[in-house]
Amino acid sequence: MKEPENQHVNENKKLEQEIEKLENRLQSEEKNKDTNIIHHLAFNEDHLAQVFRFLTHNLITTVVLILIAIIFSAIRWYVIVLIVLVTYAYPLLSNHSYYPWEKYLRRNHHSHKTKEKLKDKQETERSKKPSPNKDKIIVSALIIVIIILISLIIFFIASTKSTNSAHSHAQSTTVQRSSSEKKISSSNKKPVSTTQHTQQLSPANMDDKLKAAAAYYYASEHHQKMFEFKMAVQQNGLAIGKETGADYQEGTDPVSLMPLHTGSGAVPFYTTDNDNVYFYVPNAMPSEAIGEGNDDSDQPVLTTTWQEICDLVNQNGAYEQVKKVAENSEAMGD
């Protein structure tokens, strides 16, 4: 009878010794928990398995944080960093498998707190044991990395689109503003007269007065003995008449040209033979005659054509002035 009793006592002593060793080990681990944080955060297979289990147990919180990052773009990257750091550090430092609120959501109202503590201890002890299947751990780590990379890619694409949309909106606003400014400036500008471009002088559309005004304009530009054209403009027109008794050799029907109200005197005149125009200045010196170098005073001082006269008026944009002088001109008697 004594031998079984002694054997039972010995077994109890061994158990007590083992319990004491375990308690000492737990105490030392509790001490090291506060001092050796780097050891708890080391990147190894056991820790990756623990982080993966923590991530799968707290999917609700992770999804909520991702939605917050998508909705609030201003704090997007802060939320991403927060998800990565907390998901990795919290389970390794606390040895908990759930966030407190996740535990509350998952808790059965009819269970007791003691059961939850036992579950946490079991999870803690299980996480401390080496992983039985390394392949599962590697797959879990790869899944975590893939999830993080996909999240970063999604957030990068969303931020790029928002930046591009803001840039395109600013660019369209600038284009609209510049176009509106152009419209305002163009509306404020005085309309440019297009008469010079739409109405051109040609030999076919000239009456006698318009011919006289155009001829006078041409002669004023090319010969110093002719009156200046601006005098005809200032006097509102020309006195147009036939120069009877004039000496001329070229052309027919001499037409005298003189600004209105300038008095009498030697009046320049021109003759024409339909195409050519010949200008004469009475009492002109032989040296002033242009042409063949003739010394006779009845030689024209200037020779041209109606087409050249029209071209000069059109090129200088003087159509309106010539037309005004023609309208105000007066046909004088013989």
Side-chain angles (χ1 to χ4, degrees):
M1 295 294 294
K2 290 183 179 180
E3 289 182 359
E5 291 180 358
N6 291 331
Q7 187 177 0
H8 183 68
V9 170
N10 292 331
E11 290 179 353
N12 288 335
K13 287 182 178 180
K14 289 181 179 179
L15 290 173
E16 288 177 356
Q17 289 176 357
E18 289 180 358
I19 291 171
E20 186 177 359
K21 288 180 180 179
L22 289 173
E23 289 179 351
N24 292 331
R25 183 179 175 182
L26 289 173
Q27 289 178 358
S28 62
E29 287 181 357
E30 290 292 333
K31 290 180 180 179
N32 291 331
K33 186 184 292 184
D34 297 331
T35 58
N36 196 2
I37 297 177
I38 297 176
H39 175 73
H40 288 285
L41 295 177
F43 192 79
N44 53 45
E45 295 177 352
D46 295 336
H47 288 172
L48 286 177
Q50 185 177 354
V51 169
F52 180 73
R53 285 194 297 270
F54 180 81
L55 184 63
T56 56
H57 290 166
N58 299 274
L59 287 176
I60 297 175
T61 303
T62 305
V63 171
V64 170
L65 290 175
I66 291 174
L67 290 176
I68 291 173
I70 293 173
I71 295 171
F72 300 99
S73 60
I75 59 172
R76 178 177 300 156
W77 298 109
Y78 299 104
V79 176
I80 292 173
V81 174
L82 179 66
I83 293 173
V84 174
L85 292 179
V86 174
T87 303
Y88 185 81
Y90 183 80
L92 298 180
L93 294 177
S94 65
N95 284 330
H96 291 167
S97 299
Y98 299 93
Y99 289 118
W101 52 88
E102 290 274 359
K103 185 186 295 184
Y104 177 79
L105 292 174
R106 295 172 178 271
R107 183 184 299 165
N108 190 347
H109 294 287
H110 299 287
S111 63
H112 300 286
K113 294 181 179 180
T114 53
K115 291 183 179 181
E116 294 295 331
K117 291 181 180 179
L118 289 175
K119 289 181 182 179
D120 288 339
K121 287 182 180 180
Q122 290 176 358
E123 293 290 339
T124 304
E125 292 296 330
R126 191 179 301 168
S127 63
K128 291 180 180 179
K129 294 180 181 179
S131 177
N133 194 346
K134 293 183 178 180
D135 294 336
K136 290 183 178 180
I137 294 172
I138 294 173
V139 172
S140 301
L142 290 174
I143 292 173
I144 294 173
V145 172
I146 291 170
I147 291 172
I148 294 173
L149 288 176
I150 292 173
S151 301
L152 291 174
I153 291 170
I154 292 172
F155 295 139
F156 178 76
I157 293 172
S159 62
T160 304
K161 287 184 177 180
S162 62
T163 304
N164 291 336
S165 62
H167 179 69
S168 61
H169 177 70
Q171 188 175 5
S172 62
T173 304
T174 305
V175 171
Q176 291 176 358
R177 187 181 301 169
S178 62
S179 62
S180 62
E181 289 177 354
K182 287 182 180 179
K183 289 180 180 178
I184 293 172
S185 62
S186 62
S187 62
N188 290 335
K189 289 181 179 179
K190 293 182 179 179
V192 179
S193 175
T194 59
T195 305
Q196 298 175 359
H197 301 285
T198 57
Q199 294 181 347
Q200 298 289 321
L201 194 63
S202 66
N205 65 2
M206 291 194 299
D207 56 13
D208 292 338
K209 287 186 177 182
L210 195 56
K211 282 184 177 181
Y216 192 79
Y217 177 83
Y218 185 90
S220 298
E221 293 288 326
H222 286 81
H223 200 274
Q224 61 183 358
K225 285 292 184 179
M226 305 295 291
F227 290 105
E228 292 184 2
F229 183 76
K230 65 181 181 181
M231 293 182 62
V233 176
Q234 293 171 356
Q235 298 295 335
N236 294 325
L238 292 171
I240 304 172
K242 281 192 173 183
E243 187 66 20
T244 59
D247 294 328
Y248 60 91
Q249 289 187 0
E250 303 289 342
T252 60
D253 299 328
V255 179
S256 62
L257 302 173
M258 185 179 198
L260 288 171
H261 315 301
T262 55
S264 60
V267 179
F269 64 92
Y270 73 89
T271 62
T272 181
D273 54 6
N274 293 329
D275 292 330
N276 298 313
V277 184
Y278 309 97
F279 292 92
Y280 297 89
V281 178
N283 300 325
M285 297 298 293
S287 60
E288 294 173 352
I290 301 175
E292 300 176 357
N294 218 323
D295 291 339
D296 297 332
S297 61
D298 56 356
Q299 292 293 323
V301 297
L302 191 63
T303 301
T304 185
T305 63
W306 287 116
Q307 188 61 52
E308 289 181 0
I309 293 174
C310 294
D311 291 341
L312 180 66
V313 172
N314 295 331
Q315 289 173 4
N316 293 343
Y319 176 81
E320 288 295 330
Q321 290 180 327
V322 171
K323 182 181 177 182
K324 181 179 178 182
V325 171
E327 290 175 350
N328 296 326
S329 297
E330 296 180 6
M332 309 303 290
D334 294 339

